Amino acid sequence: MEAYIDPVYAWVSALVGPHAVIPGWAWLAGLTMIFWGVLAPGFAAARAREAERERMLSRHPGLKYVAPDR
């Protein structure tokens, strides 16, 4: 088992350790860009839904929005 762990540890420490090939800020920047690409469309869709709700409620001034209980 030790024969498998030592090479893997050396490989991972070369990628993420203090003397890494790729600096830590580059890992964080890459992961941030990936997750922002996944989350950003949801933010835009939420803004669009909110604008549509406001537009519909502005047509009928007597209506009020009541959030559903969870």
Side-chain angles (χ1 to χ4, degrees), residues 38-65:
V38 170
L39 295 175
F43 295 145
R47 282 193 299 271
R49 285 192 307 269
E50 178 68 20
E52 179 65 17
R53 185 179 67 79
E54 290 294 327
R55 185 185 65 78
M56 291 177 73
L57 288 176
S58 68
R59 287 184 182 175
H60 307 285
L63 293 177
K64 286 195 266 182
Y65 176 72

Side-chain angles (χ1 to χ4, degrees), residues 3-28:
Y4 295 110
I5 293 175
D6 287 337
V8 171
Y9 182 80
W11 188 76
V12 170
S13 64
L15 289 176
V16 189
H19 304 289
V21 176
I22 302 170
W25 62 265
W27 284 108
L28 290 176

